[in-house]
Amino acid sequence: MKSLLFLVLISVCWAEPHPDNSSLEHERIIHIQENGPRLLVVAEQAKIFSHRGGNVTLPCKFYHEHTSTAGSGTHKIRVKWTKLTSDYLKEVDVFVAMGHHRKSYGNYQGRVFLRGSSENDASLVITNIILEDYGRYKCEVIEGLEDDTAVVALNLEGVVFPYSPRLGRYNLNFHEAQRACLDQDSVIASFDQLYDAWRSGLDWCNAGWLSDGSVQYPITKPREPCGGKNTVPGVRNYGFWDKDKSRYDVFCFTSNFNGRFYYLIHPTKLTYEEAVQACLKDGAQIAKVGQIFAAWKLLGYDRCDAGWLADGSVRYPISRPRKRCSPNEAAVRFVGFPDKKHKLYGVYCFRAYN
């Protein structure tokens, strides 16, 4: 005797007036659902703001359509959080939960957990935020054959700055650009971060790498050397280039820090090596480029004294423009990359808090 297997699908239909023209009495939208109410995943906020070192909750809740229940009770609920790469081609695993099982991945280990304020709460808590946490996250809820997703963007308060090494402009391939930003207490900026910086007034004529592998630059004051005098302001796009062979500058992004940035009061000016040792003797380290930009932009740090930084450059931050100190604009002024052994300057130090 052969056994027969029948698959029964129960469908629910209903009609409602067309939303665009209720006068059309016979026009209806027909909704069809199979196997009961459909699983819905909702993010109450599409964008969340935080800062480095802070804690944040990425909202995500799930329901069954036209019911108030969180799950059917037939299948276990599986919650998966991933991070979308800047080019949207990949997803990086962040956290997975099913029943009593929990697992976090990569540098999220020990920093993420589900809030679980209710039986339908799949919100993810991220603690001790780092610069690399910036980006878009996907919340996926799976119950049996049903699944749905929601996307939440995590934005960080911070500052974008252009960077080129001692070798001069257009000397970094994409991978070297990434390392250059990391060396200066920052990460390579995204397009959204550069765009926000342009809207806040960033104007820079040298093209630089962004995190998605594109090369762009922001112009607020069109002029001949920068795309033409008669062009409109905007973020100019060079497109996508070979990450190994093409060479440009880079736009870096940094946020607030847990420490003290300061100009070291010293009886004499210093060579680069003397500056490094002077900071160490003061219980600190010579400051990085990202730290001077963060102190200037986020703390309003203002000092008219040029000082050494860790990459061998000499700069000074002006938040209150005045005569002899960047009279035309607030900015971190760049003196250059002087001879480390013979040129004498002050030094900026950074002391991290425990």
Side-chain angles (χ1 to χ4, degrees):
M1 179 182 292
K2 295 183 180 180
S3 299
L4 296 178
L5 177 65
F6 293 91
L7 179 64
V8 179
L9 298 180
I10 301 175
S11 298
V12 179
C13 303
W14 72 94
E16 64 180 31
H18 192 284
D20 294 330
N21 193 344
S22 58
S23 65
L24 299 178
E25 295 183 355
H26 302 292
E27 188 172 357
R28 297 287 187 270
I29 296 175
I30 305 299
H31 300 269
I32 299 177
Q33 287 190 329
E34 295 182 345
N35 299 328
R38 183 167 62 91
L39 181 69
L40 296 178
V41 175
V42 178
E44 297 166 344
Q45 293 175 262
K47 188 176 293 186
I48 302 295
F49 293 86
S50 190
H51 56 84
R52 178 163 57 175
N55 302 330
V56 72
T57 299
L58 304 183
C60 180
K61 290 190 176 182
F62 57 96
Y63 309 90
H64 279 89
E65 196 171 32
H66 303 298
T67 75
S68 58
T69 59
S72 67
T74 306
H75 305 281
K76 283 187 176 180
I77 299 292
R78 182 172 184 260
V79 176
K80 182 178 182 180
W81 280 90
T82 55
K83 184 182 181 186
L84 307 176
T85 56
S86 57
D87 55 11
Y88 299 100
L89 297 179
K90 297 179 181 178
E91 295 181 18
V92 178
D93 289 339
V94 175
F95 183 85
V96 175
M98 185 172 181
H100 296 294
H101 300 285
R102 304 282 191 274
K103 186 174 182 179
S104 54
Y105 297 85
N107 61 17
Y108 293 97
Q109 294 184 48
R111 297 194 300 119
V112 295
F113 58 90
L114 292 186
R115 181 174 62 181
S117 63
S118 62
E119 63 177 6
N120 68 325
D121 186 9
S123 302
L124 185 73
V125 178
I126 305 178
T127 63
N128 192 24
I129 289 173
I130 60 177
L131 295 176
E132 290 82 356
D133 291 342
Y134 167 90
R136 289 177 171 83
Y137 292 79
K138 185 175 80 172
C139 172
E140 181 178 17
V141 179
I142 304 168
E143 183 186 24
L145 298 177
E146 291 280 331
D147 74 277
D148 196 20
T149 62
V151 175
V152 183
L154 173 59
N155 284 8
L156 300 182
E157 177 188 31
V159 56
V160 172
F161 61 94
Y163 186 78
S164 58
R166 175 179 287 274
L167 295 173
R169 71 193 289 261
Y170 296 174
N171 267 288
L172 299 170
N173 67 24
F174 179 78
H175 311 291
E176 292 167 342
Q178 286 182 309
R179 289 195 296 271
C181 290
L182 290 174
D183 288 344
Q184 300 309 316
D185 191 42
S186 59
V187 292
I188 189 168
S190 69
F191 169 77
D192 288 342
Q193 289 169 331
L194 181 65
Y195 180 78
D196 288 343
W198 167 74
R199 292 187 62 185
S200 297
L202 180 62
D203 182 280
W204 196 254
C205 202
N206 293 348
W209 291 104
L210 295 177
S211 60
D212 62 358
S214 66
V215 176
Q216 311 195 35
Y217 65 99
I219 294 297
T220 59
K221 300 182 288 288
R223 50 203 183 275
E224 285 304 331
C226 305
K229 186 176 181 181
N230 297 320
T231 58
V232 298
V235 178
R236 308 274 195 265
N237 191 346
Y238 276 17
F240 295 88
W241 292 80
D242 189 305
K243 291 183 177 181
D244 296 310
K245 298 178 181 179
S246 300
R247 296 189 171 272
Y248 292 95
D249 291 348
V250 62
F251 289 97
C252 303
F253 173 84
T254 193
S255 186
N256 64 321
F257 45 69
N258 185 28
R260 179 190 172 212
F261 173 89
Y262 62 100
Y263 181 82
L264 180 65
I265 303 301
H266 195 274
T268 63
K269 299 296 184 182
L270 308 162
T271 65
Y272 176 78
E273 188 56 37
E274 290 171 341
V276 171
Q277 294 304 316
C279 287
L280 290 173
K281 188 176 180 180
D282 202 49
Q285 293 182 326
I286 187 169
K288 298 180 178 182
V289 176
Q291 291 163 345
I292 195 173
F293 271 96
W296 164 73
K297 182 69 173 182
L298 304 177
L299 302 178
Y301 195 91
D302 182 281
R303 184 92 193 191
C304 202
D305 297 290
W308 290 105
L309 294 174
D311 67 338
S313 67
V314 172
R315 308 173 194 245
Y316 60 99
I318 299 298
S319 59
R320 300 187 303 275
R322 55 199 181 276
K323 188 176 181 181
R324 298 182 181 177
C325 297
S326 187
N328 298 320
E329 62 177 350
V332 174
R333 309 304 298 180
F334 176 63
V335 176
F337 286 94
D339 187 310
K340 289 184 175 182
K341 294 183 178 179
H342 301 101
K343 295 296 183 180
L344 304 176
Y345 290 95
V347 62
Y348 288 97
C349 304
F350 178 79
R351 182 184 298 128
Y353 297 146
N354 295 328

